[in-house]
Every structure is written in C-alpha cells, then in structure tokens.
Amino acid sequence: MSEPATALQRLQDHLHETRVLGSISSALYYDQNTVMPAAGAEWRGEQLALLASQIHARQSSAHYAELVAAAEAELGASAPAERRRNLQLVRLELERQRCLDPALVASLARAQSKGNALWQNARRHNDFPTFAPALAELIALRQEQAGQLASAELAPRSPWEVLAQPFEPDISTARVEELFAPLKATLPVLLEQVAAATAQQSGESTATAELPETEQERLCSELLDSWGYDPTRCQRSRSAHPFSCTVGPQDFRITTRVVPGQPFSSFLATAHEWGHSLYEQGLPRSTDHYFPWPLGEATSMGVHESQSLFWECRVARGRAFAARWQPHFVAGAGADRWGGIDGFWRGLNPMRPGPIRVEADELSYCLHIVLRFELELALLEGGLPVADLPGEWNRRMVELLGLRPASDSEGCLQDIHWAEGLFGYFPSYALGHLISAQLAEAMEQQIGSIEAHVAAGQEQALQQWLAAHVWPLGRAVNGEELVEQVTGERLSATPFLTYLEAKVQQLLSSVRH
C-alpha cells in the first residue's frame, strides 16, 4: 500500500493542473494572433474568459488555501531554501487572487479579447475612435483590479505600481523615474550629435533596400538554425505583432512579421523573439523545486527583455555579426545594396528616430518607452481622457524624438499592449536594455569580448555563460537582485549609455572612412 501524499505533493499536483489550464489559454492566445479568422474573436473571448475564471477559482478557492497552509505547516527547520521561497511566492499570489472579484476576472478576459480584435481593425484602418471605448473599458477594469489587489501588497503601492508587479516584482514609480532620468537627459543629445554628424552625408538606401519575402523567411530560418532552433520543441509563425509564447515545458513558439521596405525587420525580430525563447528554454524546470513551482518562472519581464535585447542588439546588430551575415543578405537580394560590410552594419543600426517602437534603433528605443510610461501614468492616475490620447501621444513624440507620427496607426495604435490591458509592462523593455548592458559587461570580464566570440561563430559560448549565470535564477530573486548578484553592482543606466556612446562613435567613424 502506497504512502499517503504529503501536503507538499498535493499542492504540487494542484499547481500542475493549474499550469495545464494556463497552457491551454496560451495555446488559444497563440492561435488567435496567428491563424484564427477575425470572426472568431467573440467566441475566443468566451473561451478565454471561461479559462480565466476557472484558473482564478482554483487559485483563490478555500481548498487551495488549505493546501497552501498545510504545505506551510509541513515545513521543517531543515526544509531547503528553494521550498521556502516557493511557498512564499505561492502565498503572495494566493492573497492577490483572493482579493479579486471573480466577475472582474471574467470581465477582464472578455475585454482583453474584444480589445485585441478592435485594436487590430483600428490599426489596420487608422481609426482610433472605434477602439477608444474598448480602451476606456480596459483602463476602468484595470483601475478596479488595482484597487482590489492593493490590500494584498506587502507595501503601499499606487495603481500603476500594483499593475506592474506581475511584470517587475517590487518595482516602484520612483525607481523607474530614477533609472529613466539619465536616458531622458542623454539620449536626445546623442541623437542630435548623430543628426549633425550625418547631415552632410549623401545617405544610404539601407532602410529601403528591397529583399524578397521568401528570402527574408529563408534568412530567419538560417539564423534560428545557427542559434540552436529545435523543430521538435519550437515553432515560428507570422503575426501582426511579433511575440514569444511558451505553451508547455517542451513547446516554445515565436512569431515574426515581414515589413515592406524594411529588409532587416523580420530578421532582427526573429533574433529578438528567439532571445526570449532561449531564456524560457533555459529556465530551471527540471526538478521538483522548479516545475510547476514559481521558482521555474522568469525573474521579471525586464530580465526577459534583457535576454531578447542581448541577442538582437548586442549580437545581431554588432559589427562582427554584420561581417558574417552580409554575404547571406547580398545573395538573397541578388546584389550588394549596402555598399560593403560597413554599409550593411549601418543598415542594421540606422540611428534615425522613427515613429514605430519595434522598428526603433538603440538610440531612440528607450525614449519610446519613456513616452509610454508617462502616458500610462497619465491614463491610470492622472485623469488623461482616452479621447485625448492621440494628441497627447503626438505632442510628447515631438518633445522626446522630434517627430510627429503620420497617423494614429503609426502613433498610439501601434502596440498591442494597451489593447490587452497590459499597463505596467512597457518599462520592462527599457529596463531590459539597462540589464542587458550591465550583464554584457560582466560577461566580457569573465569570457572576453562578445564581438570576438561572434566573429569566430562562437555564439554558443555566450549562451553557455547566460545558462550558467542568469537563466537558472528564475524567481529566486527579483530583477534588480539578479543584476546585483551577477554583476556585483546595483542596476544603473551607466553601462548602457557607455555602450551606446562607444557604438555611436564607431558607426560615425565607419561613415567617415
């Protein structure tokens, strides 16, 4: 006769079933954004709402609370630190879930699905007014959610801070503003320097060089194959907005898109999303401490973004990578449309501010995030009417980047995040740049130049370092703790700005020579 299951095992079994339900929701989301016909949006909303309600019920029920309490009571003095941390995180999430009204959870799921569908149509037709009511509803629902969750927080938090916790645990508005202040002060100056230095140049046609869609797809596949893509565990599709999605412990999906007139867009998006997927594949999920427990989850979205940005920017936009891949692009285009390796490298790093965040260069990208962070605060806490969003977006774009979007589709309708109520997410993109730069400094101190490894085709050495120092930490720490543990320094904008300033000088020098 078998021994009765321990309280910890019963809790683990419950969490496993919840993970299965969550993975069904992820699969439906992936389908919605890749192949689902538009007319299926309403029914998909019902499906996702039902799943969200069932997951919430499981994670807030009296039965679940009893399982957590029993597992906590079972902890002995010699219990491993991993078990204690898991139960601490499970308890925090339980208290958050118990604060939420089940009706609100279902309403949010329906509003997110509806918002997604209306956003896609509004973006396609440059019609913000048709999306505005859905956005207003999502803001109201998220404000209500923040109010309900506030009592479960371990410290007093504003509505935006409450909503940001799932993405960036322990983050505060003040800390974001502290980290963003050097970016707001330095990046516009660098942009002005670049504009002045290149004003007399005749210009290059890199941004408009045409590359057949079939060739872009082939190059993306070649890149993935060279970086360890395993078709038995991974899959790539097309979507309106590139994203990465983990459907199960051995099921990793990414999407990209081809943008006419942008020969590098799909390639760089593939590098970016594969960086996300590599991190997901490398998270510690192989023992009982890590799956389906919280410790096996990503540290934070800022850390997640640091991994995607490392592969997109530090590797794929680097000079050594350009030298290796330029012949592949020349073959795909049928001619060298970039004027040699340096021209190709400059094409990967255009250093020209544009209206689209996902197409932005490294110099202007973080200013796009500053814009969104400040507008989120205005919408959630500052009373900015939704109807005024397009005008306010355009005004601040002129202030930060010196340009005005030609349409709302190029302005406030370009991102999917607010259409799904993901307020508090955007700062993680900029934090990812800061974290990536600081981790890259530590990497180079230990294994030598990243560019030298890439030039030798040894990207595997970079993966191995990340797999040893970053990926295994999971939720054992928060984002800032991870940075300090790996690098020995508190997170700062300095390494990122130092890296950018050096790269700008190298790119400008390549033009002069």
Side-chain angles (χ1 to χ4, degrees):
M1 186 174 181
S2 61
E3 292 288 327
T6 65
L8 191 74
Q9 183 61 54
R10 293 196 299 274
L11 175 58
Q12 180 168 315
D13 292 343
H14 182 95
L15 290 171
H16 182 92
E17 289 187 7
T18 305
R19 289 287 179 136
V20 172
L21 285 171
S23 72
I24 296 171
S25 182
S26 296
L28 289 173
Y29 175 84
Y30 188 83
D31 174 88
Q32 179 177 13
N33 285 280
T34 52
V35 297
M36 187 194 81
E42 184 175 354
W43 185 248
R44 181 55 45 87
E46 293 294 319
Q47 293 172 319
L48 292 172
L50 176 62
L51 282 167
S53 296
Q54 290 179 340
I55 292 171
H56 172 68
R58 288 181 61 82
Q59 297 303 88
S60 61
S61 67
H63 173 65
Y64 180 56
E66 291 169 1
L67 290 175
V68 174
E72 290 170 332
E74 195 177 68
L75 276 176
S78 61
E82 294 90 346
R83 185 176 303 171
R84 294 182 181 279
R85 175 64 172 165
N86 270 323
L87 290 177
Q88 176 190 26
L89 293 169
V90 165
R91 168 61 66 180
L92 176 60
E93 185 58 27
L94 168 62
E95 296 306 321
R96 285 175 173 164
Q97 291 294 323
R98 293 173 79 177
C99 289
L100 291 176
D101 178 358
L104 173 64
V105 173
S107 295
L108 266 168
R110 283 191 290 269
Q112 287 171 306
S113 183
K114 180 175 71 174
N116 184 314
L118 289 171
W119 165 77
Q120 292 195 41
N121 185 69
R123 182 173 177 269
R124 188 178 305 113
H125 299 291
N126 187 37
D127 188 1
F128 179 79
T130 63
F131 171 62
L135 178 58
E137 180 186 12
L138 282 162
I139 291 170
L141 289 171
R142 286 301 190 195
Q143 288 170 327
E144 184 179 354
Q145 181 188 37
Q148 292 182 10
L149 287 171
S151 62
E153 294 300 319
L154 302 179
R157 303 191 195 279
S158 72
W160 184 90
E161 290 172 335
V162 170
L163 295 176
Q165 294 310 300
F167 313 121
E168 218 58 47
D170 306 316
I171 198 67
S172 69
T173 301
R175 180 60 173 146
V176 173
E177 291 172 340
E178 178 186 0
L179 289 166
F180 283 7
L183 305 179
K184 289 182 69 174
T186 305
L187 294 178
V189 176
L190 282 175
L191 283 168
E192 288 177 6
Q193 291 176 358
V194 169
T198 58
Q200 302 305 315
Q201 300 294 326
S202 59
E204 294 166 328
S205 61
T206 56
T208 56
E210 289 295 335
L211 191 64
E213 186 171 320
T214 54
E215 289 302 311
Q216 293 193 46
E217 287 289 333
R218 180 183 63 80
L219 287 164
C220 289
S221 294
E222 284 186 14
L223 175 66
L224 290 174
D225 289 342
S226 73
W227 282 358
Y229 181 89
D230 179 357
T232 67
R233 305 169 70 229
C234 309
Q235 198 265 341
R236 177 171 67 94
S237 294
R238 298 276 288 273
S239 67
H241 192 102
F243 67 96
S244 172
C245 178
T246 298
V247 175
Q250 297 294 326
D251 187 348
F252 305 96
R253 319 280 183 93
I254 66 169
T255 73
T256 54
R257 65 182 179 189
V258 173
V259 180
Q262 297 286 343
F264 302 129
S265 174
S266 184
F267 189 76
L268 291 172
T270 299
H272 183 99
E273 299 306 335
W274 185 242
H276 279 304
S277 190
L278 282 174
Y279 180 44
E280 287 284 319
Q281 294 172 54
L283 285 168
R285 291 172 171 154
S286 60
T287 71
D288 286 346
H289 287 311
Y290 296 97
F291 187 85
W293 297 96
L295 275 183
E297 298 171 356
T299 303
S300 74
M301 286 313 303
V303 173
H304 225 306
E305 287 301 324
S306 79
Q307 301 307 285
S308 59
L309 291 166
F310 176 83
W311 291 101
E312 176 198 350
C313 298
R314 198 61 182 248
V315 177
R317 292 184 190 265
R319 174 66 171 70
F321 190 86
R324 283 177 47 209
W325 280 85
Q326 186 254 4
H328 297 259
F329 275 77
V330 170
D336 183 359
R337 305 183 188 279
W338 298 276
I341 291 171
D342 280 338
F344 182 77
W345 181 42
R346 290 192 295 273
L348 289 167
N349 298 275
M351 294 194 300
R352 287 188 302 272
I356 306 299
R357 175 185 64 84
V358 297
E359 309 296 343
D361 57 78
E362 288 176 278
L363 266 184
S364 58
Y365 185 91
C366 286
L367 295 176
H368 282 271
I369 301 307
V370 169
L371 167 77
R372 288 154 175 79
F373 167 62
E374 293 178 347
L375 285 173
E376 284 190 345
L377 288 177
L379 287 166
L380 287 165
E381 301 177 8
L384 176 66
V386 168
D388 293 347
L389 177 61
E392 191 65 12
W393 179 290
N394 294 345
R395 183 183 71 79
R396 297 190 190 211
M397 278 286 285
V398 172
E399 287 181 358
L400 286 168
L401 288 158
L403 54 85
R404 182 180 296 274
S407 65
D408 289 339
S409 293
E410 286 193 350
C412 62
L413 285 173
Q414 66 182 267
D415 296 303
I416 194 173
H417 304 65
W418 292 344
E420 296 183 345
L422 293 180
F423 301 101
Y425 191 116
F426 275 120
S428 294
Y429 290 118
L431 294 176
H433 272 291
L434 306 191
I435 294 169
S436 175
Q438 199 156 324
L439 292 177
E441 278 192 354
M443 178 188 289
E444 293 195 318
Q445 289 168 5
Q446 295 185 28
I447 67 171
S449 165
I450 292 170
E451 283 284 274
H453 282 291
V454 173
Q458 296 174 347
E459 287 98 323
Q460 187 64 30
L462 312 181
Q463 285 193 31
Q464 289 169 353
W465 189 91
L466 293 168
H469 294 89
V470 177
W471 301 344
L473 294 177
R475 288 287 303 282
V477 291
N478 65 29
E480 294 221 45
E481 290 167 346
L482 180 146
V483 170
E484 191 155 357
Q485 181 171 321
V486 175
T487 72
E489 302 287 343
R490 190 173 188 232
L491 180 63
S492 162
T494 301
F496 175 61
L497 293 173
T498 300
Y499 153 74
L500 268 189
E501 288 164 352
K503 186 170 186 178
V504 165
Q505 293 308 311
Q506 292 165 1
L507 285 163
L508 292 178
S509 177
S510 77
V511 174
R512 291 191 290 267
H513 295 156

